[in-house]
Amino acid sequence: MLLSFRGWCSFIQYKPAKLVKYGLKLYDMCNSRMYYVHNSEIYCGKQREDPYFTWDTLFNIIKRLVQPILGSHRNVTTDNYYTVYPLAHFLLENGVTFLCTMKKKSPQTFWI
């Protein structure tokens, strides 16, 4: 999600193809039934190695977002951007089902 923002910030994103061209990039976990944001994380760009360093791979971002619902036997639905096998394996091991879309020729596509 790109949240519209035109002020000064060191991690503003520019996406020329979007309706809102400048803004803050957010990763959100939303409830599909009630339409509210359950958990959110702001993308701050490439980080330097310091005590607060976190890995910003898709697997690690989703791991942090779904932390509150692990073991609850809920379902996580994603598009093909987030479809990676280690994520599906991690979620199934922790009691969360995983539903995703896949591109036929994507290198990340996996078959179980």
Short mmCIF file of all heavy atoms in Angstrom, two decimals, residues 26-92:
data_model
loop_
_atom_site.label_atom_id
_atom_site.label_comp_id
_atom_site.label_asym_id
_atom_site.label_seq_id
_atom_site.Cartn_x
_atom_site.Cartn_y
_atom_site.Cartn_z
N LEU A 26 3.68 0.95 2.88
CA LEU A 26 3.26 0.21 4.07
C LEU A 26 2.99 -1.24 3.72
O LEU A 26 2.46 -1.54 2.64
CB LEU A 26 1.97 0.80 4.65
CG LEU A 26 2.00 2.23 5.13
CD1 LEU A 26 0.61 2.68 5.51
CD2 LEU A 26 2.93 2.37 6.31
N TYR A 27 3.33 -2.12 4.62
CA TYR A 27 2.91 -3.52 4.54
C TYR A 27 1.85 -3.69 5.61
O TYR A 27 2.09 -3.41 6.78
CB TYR A 27 4.09 -4.46 4.82
CG TYR A 27 5.16 -4.41 3.76
CD1 TYR A 27 6.35 -3.74 3.99
CD2 TYR A 27 4.98 -5.05 2.54
CE1 TYR A 27 7.33 -3.70 3.02
CE2 TYR A 27 5.96 -5.03 1.57
CZ TYR A 27 7.13 -4.35 1.82
OH TYR A 27 8.10 -4.30 0.86
N ASP A 28 0.65 -4.11 5.21
CA ASP A 28 -0.47 -4.23 6.14
C ASP A 28 -1.01 -5.65 6.16
O ASP A 28 -1.04 -6.33 5.14
CB ASP A 28 -1.63 -3.31 5.73
CG ASP A 28 -1.27 -1.85 5.86
OD1 ASP A 28 -0.46 -1.52 6.73
OD2 ASP A 28 -1.81 -1.05 5.08
N MET A 29 -1.46 -6.08 7.33
CA MET A 29 -2.23 -7.31 7.45
C MET A 29 -3.64 -6.85 7.84
O MET A 29 -3.84 -6.25 8.89
CB MET A 29 -1.67 -8.24 8.52
CG MET A 29 -2.46 -9.52 8.62
SD MET A 29 -1.81 -10.72 9.77
CE MET A 29 -2.04 -9.90 11.32
N CYS A 30 -4.60 -7.11 6.95
CA CYS A 30 -5.97 -6.62 7.14
C CYS A 30 -6.93 -7.78 7.37
O CYS A 30 -6.73 -8.87 6.85
CB CYS A 30 -6.41 -5.83 5.92
SG CYS A 30 -5.36 -4.43 5.58
N ASN A 31 -7.98 -7.50 8.09
CA ASN A 31 -9.04 -8.46 8.31
C ASN A 31 -10.01 -8.35 7.14
O ASN A 31 -10.54 -7.28 6.86
CB ASN A 31 -9.76 -8.14 9.63
CG ASN A 31 -10.80 -9.15 9.99
OD1 ASN A 31 -11.49 -9.70 9.15
ND2 ASN A 31 -10.91 -9.40 11.29
N SER A 32 -10.27 -9.44 6.46
CA SER A 32 -11.13 -9.41 5.28
C SER A 32 -12.61 -9.32 5.62
O SER A 32 -13.41 -8.93 4.78
CB SER A 32 -10.88 -10.64 4.41
OG SER A 32 -11.24 -11.80 5.11
N ARG A 33 -12.99 -9.67 6.82
CA ARG A 33 -14.39 -9.64 7.20
C ARG A 33 -14.81 -8.26 7.73
O ARG A 33 -15.88 -7.78 7.41
CB ARG A 33 -14.65 -10.70 8.26
CG ARG A 33 -16.04 -11.25 8.20
CD ARG A 33 -16.22 -12.37 9.16
NE ARG A 33 -15.85 -13.63 8.50
CZ ARG A 33 -15.81 -14.78 9.11
NH1 ARG A 33 -16.08 -14.87 10.37
NH2 ARG A 33 -15.50 -15.86 8.44
N MET A 34 -13.97 -7.66 8.53
CA MET A 34 -14.31 -6.37 9.16
C MET A 34 -13.66 -5.18 8.48
O MET A 34 -13.95 -4.05 8.81
CB MET A 34 -13.87 -6.39 10.63
CG MET A 34 -14.39 -7.56 11.37
SD MET A 34 -15.77 -7.07 12.32
CE MET A 34 -15.79 -8.34 13.53
N TYR A 35 -12.73 -5.40 7.56
CA TYR A 35 -12.05 -4.35 6.80
C TYR A 35 -11.25 -3.39 7.67
O TYR A 35 -11.28 -2.18 7.47
CB TYR A 35 -13.04 -3.57 5.92
CG TYR A 35 -13.86 -4.46 5.03
CD1 TYR A 35 -15.22 -4.60 5.23
CD2 TYR A 35 -13.26 -5.17 4.00
CE1 TYR A 35 -15.97 -5.42 4.42
CE2 TYR A 35 -14.01 -6.00 3.18
CZ TYR A 35 -15.36 -6.12 3.40
OH TYR A 35 -16.09 -6.93 2.60
N TYR A 36 -10.52 -3.89 8.63
CA TYR A 36 -9.65 -3.03 9.43
C TYR A 36 -8.23 -3.58 9.38
O TYR A 36 -8.01 -4.75 9.12
CB TYR A 36 -10.14 -2.90 10.87
CG TYR A 36 -10.03 -4.15 11.69
CD1 TYR A 36 -8.88 -4.44 12.41
CD2 TYR A 36 -11.09 -5.05 11.77
CE1 TYR A 36 -8.78 -5.60 13.16
CE2 TYR A 36 -11.00 -6.20 12.52
CZ TYR A 36 -9.84 -6.47 13.21
OH TYR A 36 -9.76 -7.60 13.94
N VAL A 37 -7.27 -2.71 9.62
CA VAL A 37 -5.87 -3.09 9.62
C VAL A 37 -5.54 -3.73 10.96
O VAL A 37 -5.75 -3.13 12.01
CB VAL A 37 -4.96 -1.87 9.36
CG1 VAL A 37 -3.50 -2.25 9.47
CG2 VAL A 37 -5.25 -1.28 7.99
N HIS A 38 -5.03 -4.95 10.91
CA HIS A 38 -4.70 -5.69 12.12
C HIS A 38 -3.27 -5.42 12.57
O HIS A 38 -2.98 -5.32 13.75
CB HIS A 38 -4.93 -7.17 11.88
CG HIS A 38 -4.76 -8.02 13.08
ND1 HIS A 38 -5.65 -8.01 14.11
CD2 HIS A 38 -3.80 -8.90 13.43
CE1 HIS A 38 -5.25 -8.85 15.04
NE2 HIS A 38 -4.13 -9.40 14.65
N ASN A 39 -2.36 -5.32 11.61
CA ASN A 39 -0.95 -5.09 11.90
C ASN A 39 -0.34 -4.38 10.70
O ASN A 39 -0.74 -4.63 9.57
CB ASN A 39 -0.25 -6.43 12.16
CG ASN A 39 1.00 -6.28 12.97
OD1 ASN A 39 1.41 -5.18 13.30
ND2 ASN A 39 1.62 -7.39 13.31
N SER A 40 0.62 -3.51 10.94
CA SER A 40 1.19 -2.72 9.85
C SER A 40 2.68 -2.49 10.09
O SER A 40 3.14 -2.48 11.24
CB SER A 40 0.47 -1.38 9.76
OG SER A 40 0.91 -0.65 8.65
N GLU A 41 3.41 -2.30 9.00
CA GLU A 41 4.84 -2.03 9.09
C GLU A 41 5.21 -1.06 7.97
O GLU A 41 4.81 -1.25 6.82
CB GLU A 41 5.62 -3.34 8.95
CG GLU A 41 7.09 -3.18 9.13
CD GLU A 41 7.81 -4.52 9.17
OE1 GLU A 41 7.41 -5.40 9.96
OE2 GLU A 41 8.77 -4.68 8.40
N ILE A 42 5.99 -0.03 8.29
CA ILE A 42 6.43 0.94 7.30
C ILE A 42 7.75 0.47 6.71
O ILE A 42 8.65 0.05 7.43
CB ILE A 42 6.61 2.34 7.93
CG1 ILE A 42 5.29 2.85 8.45
CG2 ILE A 42 7.21 3.31 6.93
CD1 ILE A 42 5.39 4.17 9.18
N TYR A 43 7.86 0.57 5.37
CA TYR A 43 9.11 0.24 4.71
C TYR A 43 10.01 1.48 4.77
O TYR A 43 9.66 2.53 4.27
CB TYR A 43 8.87 -0.16 3.25
CG TYR A 43 10.13 -0.39 2.48
CD1 TYR A 43 10.93 -1.49 2.75
CD2 TYR A 43 10.54 0.50 1.50
CE1 TYR A 43 12.10 -1.72 2.05
CE2 TYR A 43 11.70 0.29 0.79
CZ TYR A 43 12.49 -0.81 1.07
OH TYR A 43 13.65 -1.02 0.39
N CYS A 44 11.17 1.34 5.40
CA CYS A 44 12.07 2.48 5.62
C CYS A 44 13.26 2.48 4.68
O CYS A 44 14.20 3.24 4.88
CB CYS A 44 12.56 2.49 7.05
SG CYS A 44 11.25 2.71 8.25
N GLY A 45 13.26 1.64 3.68
CA GLY A 45 14.40 1.58 2.76
C GLY A 45 15.48 0.66 3.27
O GLY A 45 15.32 -0.03 4.28
N LYS A 46 16.60 0.66 2.57
CA LYS A 46 17.72 -0.19 2.97
C LYS A 46 18.28 0.28 4.31
O LYS A 46 18.50 1.47 4.51
CB LYS A 46 18.80 -0.15 1.91
CG LYS A 46 19.90 -1.13 2.15
CD LYS A 46 20.86 -1.17 1.00
CE LYS A 46 21.94 -2.18 1.32
NZ LYS A 46 22.86 -2.36 0.22
N GLN A 47 18.49 -0.65 5.21
CA GLN A 47 18.94 -0.31 6.55
C GLN A 47 20.42 -0.60 6.70
O GLN A 47 20.97 -1.49 6.07
CB GLN A 47 18.16 -1.12 7.58
CG GLN A 47 16.68 -0.85 7.56
CD GLN A 47 15.97 -1.69 8.58
OE1 GLN A 47 16.55 -2.17 9.54
NE2 GLN A 47 14.69 -1.88 8.38
N ARG A 48 21.06 0.16 7.58
CA ARG A 48 22.46 -0.12 7.88
C ARG A 48 22.53 -1.09 9.07
O ARG A 48 21.58 -1.20 9.84
CB ARG A 48 23.21 1.16 8.16
CG ARG A 48 22.69 1.92 9.34
CD ARG A 48 23.55 3.16 9.59
NE ARG A 48 23.12 3.79 10.79
CZ ARG A 48 22.35 4.85 10.84
NH1 ARG A 48 21.91 5.40 9.74
NH2 ARG A 48 21.99 5.36 12.00
N GLU A 49 23.64 -1.75 9.20
CA GLU A 49 23.81 -2.73 10.28
C GLU A 49 24.04 -1.99 11.60
O GLU A 49 25.07 -1.37 11.80
CB GLU A 49 24.99 -3.65 9.98
CG GLU A 49 24.84 -4.37 8.67
CD GLU A 49 24.68 -5.86 8.84
OE1 GLU A 49 24.72 -6.35 9.96
OE2 GLU A 49 24.50 -6.51 7.81
N ASP A 50 23.06 -2.03 12.48
CA ASP A 50 23.15 -1.45 13.81
C ASP A 50 22.29 -2.29 14.75
O ASP A 50 21.73 -3.30 14.33
CB ASP A 50 22.76 0.03 13.80
CG ASP A 50 21.31 0.28 13.39
OD1 ASP A 50 20.56 -0.69 13.23
OD2 ASP A 50 20.93 1.46 13.26
N PRO A 51 22.17 -1.94 16.02
CA PRO A 51 21.39 -2.77 16.95
C PRO A 51 19.92 -2.94 16.57
O PRO A 51 19.28 -3.90 16.98
CB PRO A 51 21.51 -2.04 18.28
CG PRO A 51 22.73 -1.22 18.17
CD PRO A 51 22.88 -0.86 16.73
N TYR A 52 19.36 -2.03 15.76
CA TYR A 52 17.95 -2.11 15.39
C TYR A 52 17.74 -2.66 13.98
O TYR A 52 16.66 -2.55 13.43
CB TYR A 52 17.30 -0.73 15.51
CG TYR A 52 17.41 -0.18 16.91
CD1 TYR A 52 18.34 0.80 17.21
CD2 TYR A 52 16.62 -0.68 17.93
CE1 TYR A 52 18.46 1.29 18.49
CE2 TYR A 52 16.73 -0.21 19.22
CZ TYR A 52 17.66 0.78 19.49
OH TYR A 52 17.77 1.24 20.76
N PHE A 53 18.76 -3.25 13.41
CA PHE A 53 18.69 -3.78 12.04
C PHE A 53 17.71 -4.93 11.96
O PHE A 53 17.68 -5.80 12.82
CB PHE A 53 20.08 -4.26 11.61
CG PHE A 53 20.11 -4.89 10.26
CD1 PHE A 53 20.11 -4.13 9.12
CD2 PHE A 53 20.13 -6.27 10.14
CE1 PHE A 53 20.13 -4.71 7.88
CE2 PHE A 53 20.16 -6.87 8.90
CZ PHE A 53 20.16 -6.08 7.76
N THR A 54 16.84 -4.92 10.93
CA THR A 54 15.95 -6.04 10.66
C THR A 54 16.04 -6.38 9.19
O THR A 54 16.23 -5.49 8.35
CB THR A 54 14.47 -5.71 10.99
OG1 THR A 54 14.07 -4.58 10.23
CG2 THR A 54 14.27 -5.45 12.46
N TRP A 55 15.91 -7.64 8.86
CA TRP A 55 15.95 -8.07 7.47
C TRP A 55 14.62 -7.72 6.81
O TRP A 55 13.56 -8.01 7.33
CB TRP A 55 16.19 -9.58 7.38
CG TRP A 55 17.57 -9.94 7.78
CD1 TRP A 55 17.97 -10.45 8.98
CD2 TRP A 55 18.75 -9.78 7.00
NE1 TRP A 55 19.31 -10.63 8.99
CE2 TRP A 55 19.84 -10.23 7.79
CE3 TRP A 55 19.01 -9.31 5.71
CZ2 TRP A 55 21.14 -10.23 7.32
CZ3 TRP A 55 20.32 -9.31 5.26
CH2 TRP A 55 21.35 -9.76 6.05
N ASP A 56 14.70 -7.11 5.64
CA ASP A 56 13.49 -6.68 4.94
C ASP A 56 13.16 -7.58 3.75
O ASP A 56 12.70 -7.10 2.72
CB ASP A 56 13.62 -5.23 4.48
CG ASP A 56 13.38 -4.26 5.60
OD1 ASP A 56 12.73 -4.65 6.58
OD2 ASP A 56 13.86 -3.13 5.51
N THR A 57 13.37 -8.87 3.89
CA THR A 57 12.93 -9.79 2.84
C THR A 57 11.43 -10.01 3.03
O THR A 57 10.89 -9.80 4.12
CB THR A 57 13.66 -11.14 2.94
OG1 THR A 57 13.35 -11.73 4.21
CG2 THR A 57 15.17 -10.97 2.80
N LEU A 58 10.75 -10.40 1.98
CA LEU A 58 9.30 -10.62 2.07
C LEU A 58 8.96 -11.65 3.14
O LEU A 58 7.99 -11.49 3.88
CB LEU A 58 8.76 -11.06 0.72
CG LEU A 58 8.81 -10.00 -0.37
CD1 LEU A 58 8.35 -10.59 -1.68
CD2 LEU A 58 7.96 -8.83 0.02
N PHE A 59 9.76 -12.69 3.23
CA PHE A 59 9.52 -13.74 4.23
C PHE A 59 9.56 -13.15 5.64
O PHE A 59 8.66 -13.39 6.46
CB PHE A 59 10.55 -14.85 4.07
CG PHE A 59 10.47 -15.91 5.11
CD1 PHE A 59 9.40 -16.78 5.14
CD2 PHE A 59 11.44 -16.03 6.08
CE1 PHE A 59 9.31 -17.77 6.10
CE2 PHE A 59 11.37 -17.01 7.04
CZ PHE A 59 10.30 -17.88 7.05
N ASN A 60 10.57 -12.34 5.94
CA ASN A 60 10.70 -11.76 7.28
C ASN A 60 9.64 -10.72 7.58
O ASN A 60 9.17 -10.61 8.71
CB ASN A 60 12.10 -11.17 7.46
CG ASN A 60 13.15 -12.23 7.54
OD1 ASN A 60 12.91 -13.30 8.10
ND2 ASN A 60 14.30 -11.99 6.97
N ILE A 61 9.25 -9.94 6.58
CA ILE A 61 8.20 -8.94 6.79
C ILE A 61 6.88 -9.62 7.15
O ILE A 61 6.21 -9.25 8.11
CB ILE A 61 8.03 -8.05 5.54
CG1 ILE A 61 9.25 -7.14 5.39
CG2 ILE A 61 6.76 -7.23 5.62
CD1 ILE A 61 9.32 -6.43 4.06
N ILE A 62 6.52 -10.65 6.39
CA ILE A 62 5.25 -11.34 6.68
C ILE A 62 5.34 -12.10 7.99
O ILE A 62 4.36 -12.16 8.73
CB ILE A 62 4.86 -12.25 5.50
CG1 ILE A 62 4.59 -11.39 4.28
CG2 ILE A 62 3.65 -13.09 5.85
CD1 ILE A 62 4.25 -12.14 3.04
N LYS A 63 6.50 -12.64 8.32
CA LYS A 63 6.67 -13.30 9.62
C LYS A 63 6.37 -12.34 10.77
O LYS A 63 5.71 -12.70 11.74
CB LYS A 63 8.11 -13.81 9.74
CG LYS A 63 8.24 -15.29 9.91
CD LYS A 63 9.67 -15.70 9.79
CE LYS A 63 10.31 -15.83 11.12
NZ LYS A 63 11.63 -16.46 11.06
N ARG A 64 6.85 -11.11 10.65
CA ARG A 64 6.59 -10.12 11.70
C ARG A 64 5.13 -9.69 11.71
O ARG A 64 4.55 -9.47 12.78
CB ARG A 64 7.50 -8.90 11.51
CG ARG A 64 8.96 -9.19 11.80
CD ARG A 64 9.77 -7.93 11.87
NE ARG A 64 9.82 -7.16 10.64
CZ ARG A 64 10.75 -7.27 9.69
NH1 ARG A 64 11.72 -8.15 9.84
NH2 ARG A 64 10.71 -6.51 8.62
N LEU A 65 4.50 -9.57 10.54
CA LEU A 65 3.11 -9.13 10.49
C LEU A 65 2.14 -10.17 11.06
O LEU A 65 1.16 -9.81 11.71
CB LEU A 65 2.71 -8.81 9.05
CG LEU A 65 3.27 -7.54 8.44
CD1 LEU A 65 2.85 -7.43 6.99
CD2 LEU A 65 2.82 -6.32 9.21
N VAL A 66 2.40 -11.46 10.82
CA VAL A 66 1.46 -12.49 11.27
C VAL A 66 1.76 -13.00 12.68
O VAL A 66 1.06 -13.88 13.17
CB VAL A 66 1.42 -13.69 10.29
CG1 VAL A 66 0.98 -13.26 8.91
CG2 VAL A 66 2.72 -14.44 10.24
N GLN A 67 2.75 -12.45 13.33
CA GLN A 67 3.13 -12.90 14.68
C GLN A 67 1.94 -12.97 15.64
O GLN A 67 1.79 -13.95 16.37
CB GLN A 67 4.23 -11.99 15.24
CG GLN A 67 4.96 -12.56 16.41
CD GLN A 67 5.77 -13.79 16.05
OE1 GLN A 67 6.34 -13.86 14.98
NE2 GLN A 67 5.81 -14.74 16.95
N PRO A 68 1.02 -11.98 15.66
CA PRO A 68 -0.10 -12.05 16.61
C PRO A 68 -1.11 -13.17 16.33
O PRO A 68 -1.86 -13.55 17.22
CB PRO A 68 -0.79 -10.70 16.47
CG PRO A 68 0.16 -9.81 15.79
CD PRO A 68 1.06 -10.69 14.99
N ILE A 69 -1.16 -13.70 15.11
CA ILE A 69 -2.19 -14.72 14.80
C ILE A 69 -1.62 -16.12 14.67
O ILE A 69 -2.36 -17.04 14.31
CB ILE A 69 -2.97 -14.35 13.52
CG1 ILE A 69 -2.07 -14.37 12.29
CG2 ILE A 69 -3.68 -13.04 13.68
CD1 ILE A 69 -2.82 -14.37 10.99
N LEU A 70 -0.34 -16.32 14.96
CA LEU A 70 0.23 -17.66 14.86
C LEU A 70 -0.48 -18.61 15.81
O LEU A 70 -0.76 -18.27 16.96
CB LEU A 70 1.73 -17.64 15.15
CG LEU A 70 2.60 -16.94 14.11
CD1 LEU A 70 4.05 -17.00 14.53
CD2 LEU A 70 2.43 -17.54 12.74
N GLY A 71 -0.80 -19.79 15.34
CA GLY A 71 -1.46 -20.80 16.15
C GLY A 71 -2.97 -20.61 16.27
O GLY A 71 -3.61 -21.35 17.01
N SER A 72 -3.53 -19.66 15.57
CA SER A 72 -4.97 -19.37 15.71
C SER A 72 -5.82 -20.08 14.66
O SER A 72 -7.03 -19.89 14.65
CB SER A 72 -5.20 -17.86 15.62
OG SER A 72 -4.87 -17.41 14.32
N HIS A 73 -5.22 -20.86 13.78
CA HIS A 73 -5.91 -21.60 12.71
C HIS A 73 -6.69 -20.66 11.79
O HIS A 73 -7.77 -20.99 11.33
CB HIS A 73 -6.83 -22.68 13.29
CG HIS A 73 -6.09 -23.64 14.15
ND1 HIS A 73 -5.18 -24.54 13.65
CD2 HIS A 73 -6.09 -23.83 15.49
CE1 HIS A 73 -4.67 -25.25 14.63
NE2 HIS A 73 -5.21 -24.84 15.77
N ARG A 74 -6.12 -19.49 11.53
CA ARG A 74 -6.70 -18.55 10.58
C ARG A 74 -6.06 -18.75 9.22
O ARG A 74 -5.17 -19.57 9.05
CB ARG A 74 -6.50 -17.11 11.05
CG ARG A 74 -7.28 -16.82 12.30
CD ARG A 74 -7.17 -15.37 12.66
NE ARG A 74 -7.88 -15.13 13.91
CZ ARG A 74 -7.87 -14.00 14.54
NH1 ARG A 74 -7.22 -12.98 14.04
NH2 ARG A 74 -8.53 -13.86 15.66
N ASN A 75 -6.49 -17.97 8.24
CA ASN A 75 -5.98 -18.08 6.88
C ASN A 75 -5.31 -16.77 6.48
O ASN A 75 -5.85 -15.70 6.73
CB ASN A 75 -7.13 -18.40 5.92
CG ASN A 75 -6.64 -18.55 4.51
OD1 ASN A 75 -5.64 -19.21 4.26
ND2 ASN A 75 -7.34 -17.94 3.58
N VAL A 76 -4.15 -16.86 5.82
CA VAL A 76 -3.48 -15.69 5.25
C VAL A 76 -3.59 -15.81 3.74
O VAL A 76 -3.22 -16.83 3.16
CB VAL A 76 -1.99 -15.64 5.68
CG1 VAL A 76 -1.25 -14.55 4.94
CG2 VAL A 76 -1.88 -15.45 7.18
N THR A 77 -4.13 -14.77 3.10
CA THR A 77 -4.28 -14.75 1.65
C THR A 77 -3.39 -13.66 1.08
O THR A 77 -3.43 -12.52 1.55
CB THR A 77 -5.75 -14.46 1.28
OG1 THR A 77 -6.58 -15.43 1.92
CG2 THR A 77 -5.95 -14.54 -0.21
N THR A 78 -2.57 -14.01 0.07
CA THR A 78 -1.65 -13.05 -0.53
C THR A 78 -1.73 -13.11 -2.04
O THR A 78 -2.30 -14.05 -2.61
CB THR A 78 -0.19 -13.33 -0.11
OG1 THR A 78 0.20 -14.59 -0.66
CG2 THR A 78 -0.03 -13.36 1.38
N ASP A 79 -1.11 -12.13 -2.69
CA ASP A 79 -1.01 -12.18 -4.14
C ASP A 79 0.34 -12.80 -4.51
O ASP A 79 1.11 -13.21 -3.65
CB ASP A 79 -1.20 -10.80 -4.77
CG ASP A 79 -0.11 -9.82 -4.40
OD1 ASP A 79 0.75 -10.15 -3.57
OD2 ASP A 79 -0.11 -8.72 -4.95
N ASN A 80 0.66 -12.84 -5.80
CA ASN A 80 1.84 -13.55 -6.25
C ASN A 80 3.14 -12.88 -5.82
O ASN A 80 4.19 -13.51 -5.83
CB ASN A 80 1.83 -13.74 -7.77
CG ASN A 80 1.71 -12.43 -8.51
OD1 ASN A 80 1.47 -11.40 -7.90
ND2 ASN A 80 1.85 -12.46 -9.80
N TYR A 81 3.13 -11.62 -5.42
CA TYR A 81 4.34 -10.93 -4.97
C TYR A 81 4.90 -11.57 -3.69
O TYR A 81 6.10 -11.59 -3.48
CB TYR A 81 4.00 -9.46 -4.73
CG TYR A 81 5.16 -8.61 -4.32
CD1 TYR A 81 6.19 -8.32 -5.21
CD2 TYR A 81 5.24 -8.09 -3.03
CE1 TYR A 81 7.25 -7.53 -4.83
CE2 TYR A 81 6.30 -7.30 -2.64
CZ TYR A 81 7.30 -7.02 -3.55
OH TYR A 81 8.37 -6.24 -3.17
N TYR A 82 4.04 -12.08 -2.84
CA TYR A 82 4.46 -12.66 -1.55
C TYR A 82 4.53 -14.18 -1.56
O TYR A 82 4.72 -14.78 -0.52
CB TYR A 82 3.48 -12.22 -0.46
CG TYR A 82 3.39 -10.74 -0.31
CD1 TYR A 82 2.36 -10.03 -0.91
CD2 TYR A 82 4.32 -10.04 0.43
CE1 TYR A 82 2.27 -8.66 -0.79
CE2 TYR A 82 4.25 -8.67 0.56
CZ TYR A 82 3.22 -7.99 -0.06
OH TYR A 82 3.14 -6.63 0.07
N THR A 83 4.35 -14.81 -2.69
CA THR A 83 4.29 -16.26 -2.76
C THR A 83 5.69 -16.86 -2.79
O THR A 83 6.37 -16.83 -3.81
CB THR A 83 3.51 -16.71 -4.01
OG1 THR A 83 2.23 -16.12 -3.96
CG2 THR A 83 3.38 -18.21 -4.06
N VAL A 84 6.13 -17.38 -1.66
CA VAL A 84 7.41 -18.09 -1.56
C VAL A 84 7.19 -19.35 -0.73
O VAL A 84 6.42 -19.35 0.23
CB VAL A 84 8.52 -17.21 -0.96
CG1 VAL A 84 8.93 -16.11 -1.93
CG2 VAL A 84 8.13 -16.61 0.36
N TYR A 85 7.87 -20.41 -1.10
CA TYR A 85 7.69 -21.69 -0.42
C TYR A 85 8.04 -21.64 1.06
O TYR A 85 7.30 -22.18 1.89
CB TYR A 85 8.50 -22.78 -1.14
CG TYR A 85 8.35 -24.11 -0.48
CD1 TYR A 85 7.18 -24.85 -0.65
CD2 TYR A 85 9.33 -24.62 0.35
CE1 TYR A 85 7.01 -26.06 -0.03
CE2 TYR A 85 9.17 -25.83 0.97
CZ TYR A 85 8.01 -26.56 0.78
OH TYR A 85 7.85 -27.75 1.40
N PRO A 86 9.18 -21.03 1.47
CA PRO A 86 9.48 -21.01 2.91
C PRO A 86 8.39 -20.35 3.75
O PRO A 86 8.15 -20.76 4.88
CB PRO A 86 10.78 -20.21 2.99
CG PRO A 86 11.39 -20.32 1.66
CD PRO A 86 10.26 -20.43 0.69
N LEU A 87 7.71 -19.35 3.19
CA LEU A 87 6.62 -18.71 3.92
C LEU A 87 5.46 -19.66 4.12
O LEU A 87 4.91 -19.77 5.22
CB LEU A 87 6.15 -17.46 3.18
CG LEU A 87 4.94 -16.76 3.77
CD1 LEU A 87 5.28 -16.24 5.16
CD2 LEU A 87 4.48 -15.65 2.86
N ALA A 88 5.07 -20.37 3.08
CA ALA A 88 3.97 -21.34 3.19
C ALA A 88 4.31 -22.41 4.22
O ALA A 88 3.48 -22.78 5.05
CB ALA A 88 3.70 -21.97 1.84
N HIS A 89 5.54 -22.89 4.20
CA HIS A 89 5.98 -23.93 5.15
C HIS A 89 5.95 -23.38 6.58
O HIS A 89 5.47 -24.05 7.50
CB HIS A 89 7.38 -24.40 4.77
CG HIS A 89 7.78 -25.64 5.45
ND1 HIS A 89 8.51 -25.63 6.61
CD2 HIS A 89 7.54 -26.94 5.15
CE1 HIS A 89 8.72 -26.87 7.00
NE2 HIS A 89 8.14 -27.68 6.13
N PHE A 90 6.46 -22.16 6.78
CA PHE A 90 6.48 -21.55 8.12
C PHE A 90 5.06 -21.38 8.66
O PHE A 90 4.80 -21.69 9.82
CB PHE A 90 7.19 -20.19 8.06
CG PHE A 90 7.05 -19.38 9.30
CD1 PHE A 90 7.83 -19.65 10.41
CD2 PHE A 90 6.13 -18.34 9.38
CE1 PHE A 90 7.69 -18.91 11.57
CE2 PHE A 90 5.98 -17.59 10.53
CZ PHE A 90 6.78 -17.89 11.63
N LEU A 91 4.15 -20.87 7.84
CA LEU A 91 2.78 -20.65 8.30
C LEU A 91 2.07 -21.95 8.63
O LEU A 91 1.37 -22.04 9.65
CB LEU A 91 2.00 -19.86 7.26
CG LEU A 91 2.43 -18.40 7.05
CD1 LEU A 91 1.69 -17.78 5.89
CD2 LEU A 91 2.24 -17.60 8.31
N LEU A 92 2.24 -22.97 7.80
CA LEU A 92 1.59 -24.25 8.08
C LEU A 92 2.13 -24.88 9.35
O LEU A 92 1.39 -25.50 10.11
CB LEU A 92 1.76 -25.19 6.90
CG LEU A 92 0.90 -24.83 5.67
CD1 LEU A 92 1.28 -25.72 4.49
CD2 LEU A 92 -0.56 -24.95 5.99
#
